[in-house]
């Protein structure tokens, strides 16, 4: 889901005919709110499984890293992105934000942590 939305849907929607920045931001807000909600549910499930003690220490580290990265995104980066998108949706023209780069970097790191955890879990 993270790969599909963050690295495919998000950049491609702005290339669709007649999709303005305001429309793209409106869609993006809905999509990322849904994605982050699902990620939150999965994070709670992962932490519940991790708390059972049935995972290897390395898998626990990878899963904990993925959850920590999600928390960083939601607590530190999303509010900055939301403030900017609120301004754009209100018709203002705020300066460009570099918060997207932080969000993308955290997304890439989160994907790496999830892939690492999956490989470790499959390896047993």
């Amino acid at each position: 889901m993270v790969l599909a939305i963050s690295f495919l849907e998000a950049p491609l929607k702005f290339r669709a005919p007649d999709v303005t920045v305001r429309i793209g931001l409106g869609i993006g807000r809905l999509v990322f709110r849904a994605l982050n909600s699902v990620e939150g549910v999965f994070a709670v499930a992962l932490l519940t499984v991790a708390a059972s003690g049935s995972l290897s220490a390395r898998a626990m580290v990878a899963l904990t890293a993925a959850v920590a990265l999600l928390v960083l995104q939601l607590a530190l980066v999303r509010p900055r992105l939301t403030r900017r998108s609120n301004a754009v949706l209100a018709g203002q023209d705020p300066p460009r934000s570099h918060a997207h780069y932080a969000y993308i970097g955290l997304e890439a790191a989160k994907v790496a942590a999830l892939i690492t955890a999956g490989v470790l879990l499959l390896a047993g």
Side-chain angles (χ1 to χ4, degrees):
M1 288 179 5
V2 171
L3 289 173
I5 291 174
S6 291
F7 298 104
L8 288 176
E9 182 275 339
L12 288 177
K13 79 173 157 258
F14 290 102
R15 295 184 183 175
D18 300 323
V19 173
T20 64
V21 171
R22 289 188 72 194
I23 290 171
L25 285 177
I27 293 167
R29 287 169 61 131
L30 291 172
V31 169
F32 276 93
R33 188 175 299 131
L35 171 66
N36 293 150
S37 296
V38 172
E39 285 181 306
V41 170
F42 285 154
V44 169
L46 288 172
L47 292 175
T48 302
V49 169
S52 73
S54 62
L55 302 177
S56 72
R58 289 171 36 188
M60 286 259 308
V61 168
L63 289 175
T64 302
V67 172
L69 291 163
L70 173 63
V71 170
L72 285 172
Q73 284 180 303
L74 297 179
L76 299 178
V77 183
R78 277 288 302 277
R80 289 178 62 196
L81 293 172
T82 298
R83 280 192 297 276
R84 185 174 188 287
S85 65
N86 284 345
V88 172
L89 292 172
Q92 299 171 14
D93 188 23
R96 299 293 259 165
S97 168
H98 297 293
H100 281 95
Y101 297 123
Y103 196 89
I104 292 166
L106 290 168
E107 284 288 79
K110 185 170 60 183
V111 167
L114 290 170
I115 290 170
T116 300
V119 169
L120 291 169
L121 291 171
L122 289 175

